[in-house]
Amino acid sequence: MSTSSYETTRRYFHEAAELMDLTPNMRRLLLTPERELKVQVAVERDNGEIATYIGYRMQHNKSRGPLKGGLRFHHEVNEDEVLALAALMTWKTAVVNIPYGGAKGGISVDVRDLTPGELERVTRRFVDEIHDVIGPDKDIPAPDMGTNAQVMAWIANQYQKFHGFNPACVTGKPVELHGAAGREEATGRGVVILTRELLARNGVELEGARVAVQGFGNVGSHAARYLQELGGVVVGVTDAYGGVWNPEGLDVPALSGHVSDTGKVVDFPGSDPVTNEELLAADVDVLIPAAIGGVLNGENADDVRAKYVIEAANNPTDPAADAVFEKKGIFVLPDILANAGGVTVSYFEWVQNRQHFKWEQARVRDELERIMVDAFERVWQIAKEKRVSLRTAAYLVGIGRVGRATVMGGI
Ligand code: NAD
């Protein structure tokens, strides 16, 4: 049984706080969420039945700027997980040094059970419940598991009914509707930029590296595609239904086409089946969990053979697995750095919306590259100086920035 998400993030926080000699009062201040909102989302289904879901918006800390964080629509969403994810956003926005705090939202619903019309009604109903606590200067949602650009467009539209036109109230919107070129690929692209940097620090080329990716949604598919563009060999990919394996490397664009047609990676022509458990234990150089949390835990950590674990997903590694990886000398690039490309380009989208000025995709990519490389450099240096893991180093950077902002701003 893996540790709860909230417990996991608290453990990682305390490991860094210990090294910083943070006082108990300061720890309590930084760990306590500023606001927890739990709402009923009641909608009429296509068959006339009333369905009731539970939605959350957890606002963790806004010392460094407006709150920022994704919205997850998934049947396993619960209070504990959303709180953990909100705290991760606080440290993440600080690690990449963009002017935001941290929040997260979600609805406990299985989107596979919903028709497009039902999904739209769920989304709009949720906005009806939370619109007063979100907004361009308050709290800006974005996509996460189970949500996409279309869902963000509905959010912007529903928000506008209460507060007037203001596309900066949500990011990850369609490019045709005030979205940013390059937002959709941003998290996956950031993952690969950082993988390239981490390997380079260890004298390893990304070209020819064997990679396994768990999850082939927004993050996993874009990461796999960019990895392949840079010469990485994507040998295995899994999703919620199963997985595919090809020791010569999967053709990622063709696999994306197969997923568009069939909704899953399984039965991709020219591949062998692989389970999620087998993929996590595969003989590869780089393992990229890009799906749900807690997949690497005390029960399977010993089986991991990859030398580099890149946390594209949030909270994929629990503390028991983290300890095993550290002992075995496996490099773990932590979520609060590894998947920060998404929130970084969300920031660019917000800036563009506020200035009513559109950037070219090339500019988005260049700025993303710069911010990710700078953040990596800082975390790598701290890890070397203090002789700590990359995770602890990232927390030291994040907590340091949030802590200083809190003290300077005052209570
Ligand atoms: P998504 O909904 O687009 O895709 C999720 C993928 O994971 C799908 O392929 C799905 O089949 C697979 N999956 C779900 N349950 C699984 C299971 N039990 N085993 C194996 N695979 C499973 O979601 P996403 O936006 O790509 O997000 C993936 C992860 O990345 C999440 O942890 C999310 O918090 C994190 N993340 C996303 C973003 C973003 O910009 N979308 C940014 C930062 C972090």
Side-chain angles (χ1 to χ4, degrees):
M1 171 76 186
S2 98
T3 316
S4 88
S5 307
Y6 194 47
E7 193 43 43
T8 297
T9 51
R10 287 174 76 93
R11 283 271 282 280
Y12 294 145
F13 171 90
H14 283 301
E15 278 173 29
E18 208 61 44
L19 292 173
M20 301 170 87
D21 282 334
L22 268 195
T23 63
N25 283 344
M26 197 63 188
R27 290 188 197 202
R28 201 170 312 119
L29 179 65
L30 294 182
L31 277 175
T32 309
E34 294 182 9
R35 179 190 270 152
E36 301 179 29
L37 185 62
K38 181 173 173 183
V39 298
Q40 181 201 64
V41 184
V43 292
E44 188 175 333
R45 298 204 63 170
D46 290 354
N47 63 8
E49 275 175 22
I50 302 293
T52 308
Y53 306 105
I54 301 297
Y56 305 91
R57 189 69 189 172
M58 303 299 194
Q59 302 182 328
H60 178 250
N61 186 296
K62 58 176 180 302
S63 332
R64 298 183 63 260
L67 298 146
K68 187 90 189 82
L71 269 186
R72 179 176 287 197
F73 290 1
H74 192 270
H75 52 284
E76 285 172 11
V77 161
N78 59 55
E79 211 164 317
D80 172 280
E81 184 185 58
V82 187
L83 273 175
L85 294 169
L88 283 182
M89 287 307 298
T90 300
W91 316 129
K92 190 180 302 180
T93 51
V95 169
V96 285
N97 212 0
I98 55 177
Y100 289 132
K104 199 82 178 191
I107 302 180
S108 183
V109 58
D110 194 338
V111 283
R112 293 172 300 189
D113 282 352
L114 300 181
T115 64
E118 290 170 341
L119 179 62
E120 177 173 352
R121 292 200 289 283
V122 165
T123 305
R124 289 187 185 275
R125 193 64 228 260
F126 182 55
V127 176
D128 289 348
E129 298 301 325
I130 67 162
H131 70 90
D132 269 336
V133 303
I134 61 171
D137 289 314
K138 289 185 185 170
D139 180 357
I140 308 119
D144 192 81
M145 265 177 78
T147 57
N148 55 22
Q150 173 62 76
V151 172
M152 300 305 120
W154 290 327
I155 293 174
N157 184 271
Q158 193 68 9
Y159 179 84
Q160 177 172 314
K161 290 179 183 165
F162 297 98
H163 304 276
F165 173 77
N166 209 330
C169 68
V170 61
T171 58
K173 300 178 293 293
V175 183
E176 301 84 346
L177 256 184
H178 310 284
R183 169 61 184 90
E184 204 167 290
E185 66 175 22
T187 310
R189 200 173 175 87
V191 163
V192 179
I193 292 169
L194 294 166
T195 306
R196 184 197 70 205
E197 293 297 303
L198 177 60
L199 265 58
R201 288 312 159 105
N202 289 285
V204 178
E205 294 267 341
L206 185 53
E207 193 167 355
R210 291 158 49 81
V211 188
V213 183
Q214 181 187 45
F216 200 68
N218 174 297
V219 180
S221 67
H222 284 288
R225 186 184 285 247
Y226 191 36
L227 272 166
Q228 195 162 65
E229 277 174 36
L230 297 189
V233 185
V234 181
V235 290
V237 167
T238 56
D239 63 17
Y241 307 96
V244 289
W245 183 266
N246 182 340
E248 304 301 320
L250 297 156
D251 177 344
V252 178
L255 181 59
S256 292
H258 173 78
V259 172
S260 297
D261 294 342
T262 68
K264 28 187 116 154
V265 297
V266 290
D267 296 329
F268 178 54
S271 69
D272 295 321
V274 66
T275 65
N276 271 289
E277 295 71 43
E278 288 164 349
L279 183 103
L280 297 174
D283 184 11
V284 289
D285 302 303
V286 181
L287 174 63
I288 305 188
I292 53 169
V295 293
L296 297 166
N297 48 56
E299 280 166 28
N300 63 6
D302 260 325
D303 303 332
V304 170
R305 285 185 281 171
K307 183 90 178 114
Y308 305 93
V309 173
I310 314 292
E311 295 186 338
N314 281 310
N315 252 335
T317 312
D318 83 358
D322 207 50
V324 172
F325 295 158
E326 187 148 10
K327 211 164 88 201
K328 287 171 75 176
I330 295 175
F331 284 94
V332 179
L333 199 70
D335 46 10
I336 57 172
L337 173 59
N339 66 38
V343 72
T344 300
V345 176
S346 273
Y347 167 53
F348 302 158
E349 181 176 333
W350 181 77
V351 166
Q352 291 173 68
N353 290 158
R354 308 207 78 173
Q355 298 187 333
H356 303 284
F357 180 75
K358 226 171 168 47
W359 299 4
E360 296 297 326
Q361 186 173 36
R363 177 170 177 194
V364 171
R365 287 180 169 176
D366 286 352
E367 296 275 351
L368 173 66
E369 167 86 22
R370 182 181 59 79
I371 289 188
M372 297 312 282
V373 171
D374 282 357
F376 177 83
E377 186 73 33
R378 179 93 188 112
V379 169
W380 181 263
Q381 288 306 336
I382 300 263
K384 291 287 125 197
E385 265 168 39
K386 310 258 182 215
R387 297 172 184 278
V388 293
S389 68
L390 292 169
R391 186 185 315 280
T392 300
Y395 271 84
L396 288 173
V397 172
I399 297 170
R401 287 187 176 139
V402 177
R404 282 192 295 281
T406 305
V407 170
M408 285 188 282
I411 304 290

